Amino acid sequence: MGLFRRKAKKAAPVCSVVVVAAGSSARMGQDKIMMQVGDLPVIVHTLKAFESVPEVAEVVVVTRDDLISEIAGLCKVFDLQKVTKVVCGGSTRAESSRIGALEVRGDTPLIAVHDGARPFVSEQVIRAVIEKAAAAGAAAPAIPVKDTIKVARNGVVESTPDRSTLFCVQTPQVFDASLLRAALQKAVDDGADVTDDCSAVERMGMKVALTPGDERNIKLTTPDDIRLAEAILMEV
Amino acid sequence: MGLFRRKAKKAAPVCSVVVVAAGSSARMGQDKIMMQVGDLPVIVHTLKAFESVPEVAEVVVVTRDDLISEIAGLCKVFDLQKVTKVVCGGSTRAESSRIGALEVRGDTPLIAVHDGARPFVSEQVIRAVIEKAAAAGAAAPAIPVKDTIKVARNGVVESTPDRSTLFCVQTPQVFDASLLRAALQKAVDDGADVTDDCSAVERMGMKVALTPGDERNIKLTTPDDIRLAEAILMEV
């Protein structure tokens, strides 16, 4: 018995992952998730990050209608075994998350939502946020804000929030599955302008815990970000 | 007369610039302002940016004691004609700004304070913020925040401020000269933890106007930023 107890506990596949890649990439000028970074398309980097994480049960990709078959093809080519579905998203970010949260299998207690355009998320970041969400119900990785942030309206500064209380939130954001589905349904029904999934959960009055994020877990938005991504890859 | 009025008005040298480069570069692991980016040290890129701006009367560099002669040497080598002084800074950012604001000549109505580690500030950004400060008394360039920002304490999210009201403030920040000197003196006297010069001015109850910043006007803080800087330079 003692021998068994001392063996490292094998992590159970407790979490389904929704990868949201349904945006228009307006600021990039082309489909950012299909852009090549290093020798792989962005979306392949992203999906590969979840393949080896033992807590991850499956991955559902939510994307635009016109990208479904291309992404499904990439999953086959790169043998991404955890990707179970590639489905069509909605017209808003919350709508796409909601669709993903309904498409995952029903027996995983946790759902993670991850930006398709964050290709450099590490196993460490993923495991830490899943572990925290298992305990707290809702968790997201975050890094301290480096810049001085101003709250401004009509071009005039109203206040300078204390920087030590400000965090850039990243993904994957992980939640109790029922909580997330309810929160996203409500956000969509209310037409709420939520820029991340935590916000939908916070609107329900629920607490979200923060876990350590990673400077390299960048979200690719502009062409400058692609250059930074190339630089990051060269260092790895 | 009509002919004269239609001629472009020559901009008067109304602004003294304080370039603050007195930090320890703790997160970079070496003196960031002396690092080579492209074919020039960071501080040379920064100082060159102000040379051709007609509104700039002079530049005073505030740095660490051990860097004074090296920076003065670079100014000579690169023929930086607007740099009039290289002086020793204080133990805090506010203290170094204050020293710079006292070292500039007394006849310019405006003082700009700029981070030595922002080498890619454009003439357009500099001129716009000087013009705005001449009209409003205090102005700073800023860009909209891209990330979702959380206010958190003890690892738990307290709120998600409306992203459309959040701006990353950059430098140069430009002020009425007497206002800036008074505000920095008060911040230093009060031991206030101000992360930028605007904050010192805001503490006096004065309004600060925002002008368009630039994504490329980055502040070099970490080694990843140096890689991004190299990528930016390759594009120029």
Side-chain angles (χ1 to χ4, degrees):
Chain A
M1 259 315 255
L3 198 72
F4 278 94
R5 258 186 289 159
R6 271 200 297 277
K7 276 180 69 173
K9 210 173 91 182
K10 191 170 178 302
V14 290
C15 187
S16 293
V17 178
V18 174
V19 170
V20 181
S24 65
S25 302
R27 299 184 60 188
M28 191 67 82
Q30 57 182 296
D31 273 320
K32 58 187 177 185
I33 57 159
M34 304 309 284
M35 287 175 77
Q36 203 86 357
V37 174
D39 52 0
L40 295 175
V42 168
I43 188 71
V44 175
H45 283 286
T46 305
L47 296 174
K48 274 170 76 83
F50 292 93
E51 281 291 307
S52 58
V53 179
E55 290 85 351
V56 170
E58 63 166 340
V59 177
V60 169
V61 183
V62 182
T63 188
R64 293 205 322 264
D65 199 33
D66 57 310
L67 292 174
I68 290 177
S69 64
E70 200 170 349
I71 291 176
L74 287 171
C75 292
K76 206 162 177 182
V77 169
F78 291 98
D79 193 27
L80 300 170
Q81 302 194 356
K82 290 205 173 166
V83 180
T84 52
K85 292 181 187 172
V86 182
V87 301
C88 183
S91 58
T92 64
R93 162 75 197 222
E95 181 68 38
S96 293
S97 291
R98 192 188 66 88
I99 290 168
L102 294 172
E103 289 285 348
V104 300
R105 41 192 261 204
D107 62 348
T108 46
L110 297 173
I111 299 176
V113 185
H114 184 67
D115 296 325
R118 289 194 194 264
F120 303 133
V121 61
S122 69
E123 179 165 335
Q124 197 176 0
V125 166
I126 297 169
R127 297 189 76 173
V129 67
I130 291 175
E131 189 184 349
K132 190 70 175 181
I143 54 173
V145 166
K146 284 194 296 187
D147 300 300
T148 297
I149 303 288
K150 304 288 181 187
V151 177
R153 273 174 238 267
N154 304 317
V156 177
V157 176
E158 283 188 353
S159 63
T160 305
D162 175 2
R163 187 168 61 181
S164 69
T165 66
L166 300 182
F167 296 83
C168 285
V169 75
Q170 303 180 336
T171 70
Q173 303 186 344
V174 186
F175 309 92
D176 171 85
S178 327
L179 170 63
L180 179 65
R181 289 192 191 100
L184 289 172
Q185 184 65 57
K186 184 155 168 49
V188 169
D189 289 349
D190 296 351
D193 179 26
V194 288
T195 54
D196 70 339
D197 298 281
C198 285
S199 301
V201 168
E202 292 160 36
R203 290 180 76 244
M204 310 275 282
M206 304 299 293
K207 292 287 174 210
V208 177
L210 297 182
T211 57
D214 184 341
E215 292 278 353
R216 299 191 165 197
N217 185 16
I218 58 171
K219 183 173 180 180
L220 305 180
T221 307
T222 65
D224 274 348
D225 295 332
I226 295 289
R227 286 188 281 275
L228 176 59
E230 293 284 2
I232 287 175
L233 268 188
M234 281 193 299
E235 288 295 306
V236 173
Chain B
M1 262 312 258
L3 197 72
F4 279 91
R5 260 185 288 162
R6 271 200 296 278
K7 276 179 73 173
K9 210 172 87 182
K10 191 170 178 301
V14 290
C15 187
S16 294
V17 178
V18 174
V19 169
V20 181
S24 65
S25 301
R27 299 183 61 186
M28 191 66 82
Q30 57 182 295
D31 274 320
K32 59 187 177 184
I33 57 159
M34 303 309 285
M35 289 176 76
Q36 202 86 358
V37 174
D39 52 1
L40 296 175
V42 169
I43 188 70
V44 175
H45 284 287
T46 305
L47 296 174
K48 274 169 75 84
F50 292 93
E51 281 291 307
S52 57
V53 179
E55 290 86 350
V56 170
E58 64 166 339
V59 177
V60 169
V61 182
V62 182
T63 189
R64 292 205 321 265
D65 199 33
D66 57 310
L67 291 175
I68 290 177
S69 64
E70 200 170 351
I71 291 176
L74 287 171
C75 292
K76 206 162 175 182
V77 168
F78 290 100
D79 193 27
L80 300 170
Q81 302 194 354
K82 289 205 174 167
V83 180
T84 53
K85 291 182 188 171
V86 182
V87 301
C88 183
S91 58
T92 65
R93 161 74 196 221
E95 180 69 39
S96 293
S97 291
R98 192 189 65 89
I99 290 167
L102 294 173
E103 289 285 348
V104 300
R105 43 193 258 205
D107 61 347
T108 47
L110 298 173
I111 299 176
V113 185
H114 185 66
D115 296 325
R118 290 194 193 263
F120 303 134
V121 60
S122 68
E123 178 165 336
Q124 196 175 3
V125 165
I126 298 169
R127 298 190 76 173
V129 68
I130 291 176
E131 188 182 352
K132 189 71 173 182
I143 54 173
V145 166
K146 282 195 296 187
D147 300 300
T148 296
I149 303 288
K150 304 288 181 187
V151 177
R153 273 173 238 268
N154 304 317
V156 177
V157 175
E158 284 189 351
S159 63
T160 304
D162 175 2
R163 186 168 60 182
S164 69
T165 66
L166 300 182
F167 296 83
C168 285
V169 75
Q170 303 180 335
T171 71
Q173 303 185 344
V174 186
F175 309 92
D176 173 84
S178 327
L179 170 63
L180 179 65
R181 289 194 191 100
L184 290 171
Q185 185 64 56
K186 186 159 167 46
V188 169
D189 289 349
D190 296 351
D193 179 26
V194 289
T195 54
D196 70 338
D197 299 280
C198 286
S199 302
V201 167
E202 292 160 36
R203 290 180 76 245
M204 309 275 281
M206 303 298 295
K207 292 287 174 211
V208 177
L210 297 181
T211 57
D214 184 342
E215 292 278 353
R216 300 192 164 195
N217 185 17
I218 58 170
K219 184 173 180 178
L220 306 180
T221 307
T222 65
D224 274 349
D225 296 331
I226 296 289
R227 287 188 279 275
L228 177 59
E230 293 284 1
I232 288 175
L233 268 188
M234 282 192 301
E235 289 293 309
V236 172

